[in-house]
Amino acid sequence: MTVSEPFDAVDVIVAKRDGHRLSDAQIDWVVDAYTRGVVADEQMSALAMAILLNGMDRAEIARWTAAMIASGERLDFSSLSRPTADKHSTGGVGDKITLPLAPLVAVFDVAVPQLSGRGLGHTGGTLDKLESIPGWRAALSNEETMRQLEDVGAVICQAGSGLAPADRKLYALRDVTGTVEAIPLIASSIMSKKIAEGTGALVLDVKVGSGAFMKDEARARELAQTMVALGTDAGVTTVALLTDMSTPLGLTAGNALEVRESVEVLAGGGPSDVVELTVALAREMLDAAGRPDADPAAALADGRAMDAWRRMIAAQGGDPDATLPVARETEQVVAESDGVVQTVDAYAVGIAAWRLGAGRARKEDPVQAGAGVELHVRPGDTVRAGQPLLTLHTDTPERFGRAREALDGGLVVAPAGTSVAPRRLVLDRIEA
Ligand code: URA
């Protein structure tokens, strides 16, 4: 400890290790000192593990979140002529909802500042998807973001490095120390960025199931409740939907494939689950932003959301009419027997898409715009032997073998007559 530091990192670690609550001053100091490099990585690792094992109460989590917000800049959208609303998804396979949702909500004079990230692991990143549109640009300055919110009403762009820098450092550390799963740390990580972003209303889509970060519903509910409490305490109108991620959303997983499907939804078509979730989240955002009478289903059907999409893409240099990239090679996975599709496992499909080149293993890796998985069936569909179940897309055909291995056991065709329970997409709604 240097003379000028008010605490010793070891004392803070020991307090949490022994199950005590941390004081506001300890939290403020440890987050700030870690950001400054005074608290070392190995000390923060030990503290993160103590938090994972012993938890934090609501006041500690709120203070930790505030300390992470204070580590960087805060955006301020209060000068805009309309209210703001944002959505955050905890990530899933085929989750392209942000693409149709942002322009759809903008139709109703609500500004949507969707600051997003790139994909890592088996879930895709929104920016990777949009970058498959020729010319589209993810990096905007704060001034460009403000201008686009005023002119178009929706922006999907890269979160600037100034928002919650403590979180960036801590998240990278958690990733390599087995401490990602601590609910206080996940909740404060997500909410520090969303609160610093300055949105007035926030809708959380907390995924549950094999393709999600949270595999079980009880933990997903606890995470949702913690985040809703944090948002509410910070003055952001926050609600959460718990939604199913046991099977992919829609019929595509992969960057350009998902843009194509999103455009189908904006054109009034597309898979029913993508439409249902887009409309459900839009209703929540519009309600939270003071537009309870808006009818998002109508705006999808009559082309108003498509008009907003075209303006949003063009404003960031993209050509909404450009042909999307397609992979050089495809291969089909077919049913081995007659029967009924019982399982199309989200995690298996996510890993297959990733191995085909749609995702990255390290954050500096490139992604293939055309790679991914296209589904031809959903759980409950009747199939005949030889019928295509999936099409795999890649530019690098040597990847097909490993993608097929990922699907082993993830596609189950049961004997004809087996009953398959219908999917419940929205499992619960959580508000303060
Ligand atoms: N996403 C985040 O931003 N932070 C986490 O801790 C987990 C998911």
Side-chain angles (χ1 to χ4, degrees), residues 88 90 167 171 174 180 185-187 189-190 193 213:
H88 177 82
T90 56
D167 175 62
Y171 190 69
R174 288 164 55 213
V180 167
L185 297 179
I186 301 171
S189 165
I190 293 172
K193 289 172 282 196
F213 198 48

Side-chain angles (χ1 to χ4, degrees), residues 343-364:
T343 308
V344 180
D345 181 71
Y347 184 70
V349 171
I351 296 288
W354 180 45
R355 289 186 179 171
L356 288 164
R360 50 171 73 79
R362 286 169 310 147
K363 61 179 188 318
E364 32 322 314

Side-chain angles (χ1 to χ4, degrees), residues 256-315:
L257 290 169
E258 293 191 46
V259 173
R260 190 190 73 198
E261 189 168 274
S262 302
V263 172
E264 285 166 14
V265 169
L266 288 157
S272 59
D273 59 343
V274 180
V275 175
E276 180 187 341
L277 190 53
T278 303
V279 170
L281 290 164
R283 286 216 169 94
E284 294 291 350
M285 288 168 75
L286 291 163
D287 227 18
R291 304 276 193 273
D293 299 327
D295 182 356
L300 266 188
D302 66 17
R304 279 176 292 159
M306 177 68 100
D307 291 343
W309 159 265
R310 293 174 63 81
R311 279 186 272 116
M312 179 182 82
I313 296 301

